[in-house]
Amino acid sequence: MEERGICLCCMNEFATSPIRTLVEREVFLCDECLSKIAILLNKERVFDTKILFLYRYNDFMSQMLIRYKEQLDYELRRLFLVPLKPFLVPFCRRRTVVCCPSSPENERRRGFRPLAEMLTAASLPFVEPLEKGEGSQKRASLAGRLRDQGIRLRDASSVQGRDVLLFDDVFTTGETFRQSLQALRAGGPRSVRGLILLDNRPV
């Protein structure tokens, strides 16, 4: 007897195939929505750091991220990392995952921390030793993005001597990631690598 569920993205009812249930364990996307996700799992060296890019940024993922972060559709926290959980759990093992910080303004407006909730939904432990000054990067000009965003390391003890994995959601100019990386390195980690949800660089 086939199982049926409600798609987390389109909210339509769908039938769950036994193979998807076996592989994914938790199936919450219909086949059509799943087909719109462009998985990359591409490793590159950027800012003298090895970075793993999980997905290609496209219209579908852009809409889902807006629904999650701007329209506060909290249930979508499971969409981003949980489908890759069988890969991510061993990849993150023995590494200290650190979230790139949001501005305090955005955290107050949302009532939750998007990156932290994505990691929690996928049962991936993390720490948050970085903090960012007031102001939204999303609304900033390109010149504004290239200025210091006030990212600092408030707790060096959580990264000192450890293998760190710096996590961010979208990599366009990479400026938030670069400044977070710079702040982290001041804390004396043994190594730092990157984990990026969506690669939005020009192809």
Side-chain angles (χ1 to χ4, degrees), residues 16-33:
T16 303
S17 70
I19 292 178
R20 284 194 60 192
T21 301
L22 179 65
V23 173
E24 299 173 42
R25 297 187 181 94
E26 185 180 359
V27 181
F28 47 80
L29 293 179
C30 67
D31 290 344
E32 183 177 352
C33 287

Side-chain angles (χ1 to χ4, degrees), residues 13 24 33 35 40 49 53 62 77 85 94 126 130 159 163 165 171 176 181 183 199 201:
E13 187 178 22
E24 299 173 42
C33 287
S35 71
L40 279 179
T49 304
F53 295 90
S62 172
R77 71 194 186 282
K85 183 176 175 179
R94 292 187 293 277
F126 61 94
L130 297 172
V159 298
D163 295 314
L165 191 62
F171 194 106
T176 295
L181 182 64
D199 185 359
R201 297 171 299 167

Side-chain angles (χ1 to χ4, degrees), residues 17 26 62 79 84 86 97 150 192:
S17 70
E26 185 180 359
S62 172
L79 167 66
L84 294 178
V97 180
V192 183

Side-chain angles (χ1 to χ4, degrees), residues 23 34-35 98 110 112-113 146 148 164 177 179 196 201:
V23 173
L34 183 64
S35 71
V98 172
R110 292 177 180 130
F112 63 91
R113 303 183 313 286
L146 298 177
D148 182 20
V164 173
F177 183 89
Q179 292 186 28
I196 302 293
R201 297 171 299 167

Side-chain angles (χ1 to χ4, degrees), residues 35-58:
S35 71
K36 296 175 183 177
I37 298 175
I39 297 177
L40 279 179
L41 297 181
N42 183 37
K43 292 181 181 179
E44 291 188 39
R45 196 169 189 88
V46 186
F47 302 135
D48 198 30
T49 304
K50 292 180 181 178
I51 300 178
L52 174 63
F53 295 90
L54 298 179
Y55 303 103
R56 167 64 60 190
Y57 187 93
N58 58 19

